């Protein structure tokens, strides 16, 4: 795994653990159903990114709460999108504008160095998206988190 991908994966595990669901009603889904929902959203984003083919694609279930109900989980999808360095900021800006038009909450939007930025947003149906670029790479890191789901069977 490349160094940026390793950093993104490590950050994703920490964020997934910390962004858990803290009470309230959650929809019932199997892990496979929840993975498919995240995969569908990644396919939609790949289209928005210009029809890219994601590499290092993974959908992993994990806990939604620390010390809470083991049967409540979320799915984290992590992907790498091939994207030339010079196109990363314009692409992030285009995606941000589309998400704003769709009524999404933009939670982070910044240029971190020339040709590199971070874009984070929450969709109206509770999915969280993190896009991160780096000047030294020709890939855009993508992480998609599902809302919390309750397993219909013990996990």
């Amino acid at each position: 795994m490349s160094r940026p991908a390793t950093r993104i994966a490590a950050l994703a595990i920490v964020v997934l653990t910390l962004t858990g669901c803290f009470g309230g009603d959650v929809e019932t889904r199997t892990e496979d159903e929840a993975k498919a929902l995240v995969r569908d959203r990644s396919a939609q984003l790949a289209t928005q990114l210009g029809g890219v083919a994601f590499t290092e694609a993974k959908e992993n279930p994990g806990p939604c709460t620390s010390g809470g109900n083991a049967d409540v989980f979320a799915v984290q999808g992590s992907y790498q999108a091939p994207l030339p360095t010079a196109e990363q900021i314009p692409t992030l800006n285009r995606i941000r504008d589309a998400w704003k038009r769709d009524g999404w909450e933009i939670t982070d939007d910044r240029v971190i160095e020339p040709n590199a930025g971070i874009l984070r947003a929450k969709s109206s149906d509770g999915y969280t998206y993190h896009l991160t670029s780096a000047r030294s790479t020709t890939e855009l890191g993508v992480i998609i988190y599902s809302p919390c789901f309750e397993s219909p069977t013990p996990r």
Side-chain angles (χ1 to χ4, degrees):
M1 188 175 338
S2 69
R3 189 168 188 197
T6 301
R7 280 185 297 200
I8 289 169
L11 176 63
I13 291 167
V14 170
V15 172
L16 181 60
T17 302
L18 296 176
T19 59
C21 179
F22 297 102
D25 294 326
V26 294
E27 193 174 329
T28 300
R29 295 278 183 186
T30 66
E31 287 183 6
D32 287 341
E33 290 170 334
K35 286 180 185 180
L37 291 170
V38 170
R39 197 172 306 116
D40 289 347
R41 279 151 182 84
S42 74
Q44 292 167 4
L45 180 58
T47 299
Q48 285 183 304
L49 290 169
V52 301
F54 285 131
T55 62
E56 300 184 41
K58 298 177 191 137
E59 294 87 22
N60 296 309
C64 229
T65 60
S66 57
N69 183 346
D71 294 332
V72 177
F73 68 97
V75 172
Q76 167 196 295
S78 59
Y79 314 91
Q80 296 291 320
L83 189 64
T85 302
E87 293 179 26
Q88 291 189 17
I89 295 298
T91 299
L92 290 173
N93 290 339
R94 182 174 49 77
I95 297 298
R96 177 205 58 228
D97 293 345
W99 288 350
K100 279 184 173 181
R101 279 191 304 274
D102 290 341
W104 291 20
E105 175 189 358
I106 306 301
T107 58
D108 195 357
D109 178 18
R110 59 192 154 113
V111 174
I112 54 176
E113 56 185 77
N115 297 316
I118 294 173
L119 178 62
R120 295 182 182 151
K122 188 167 187 176
S123 68
S124 55
D125 60 353
Y127 287 77
T128 303
Y129 292 69
H130 294 205
L131 283 63
T132 306
S133 64
R135 183 174 53 136
S136 61
T137 184
T138 57
E139 293 183 315
L140 185 68
V142 174
I143 301 171
I144 302 172
Y145 303 100
S146 75
C148 295
F149 296 106
E150 184 164 8
S151 177
T153 59
R155 295 180 72 225

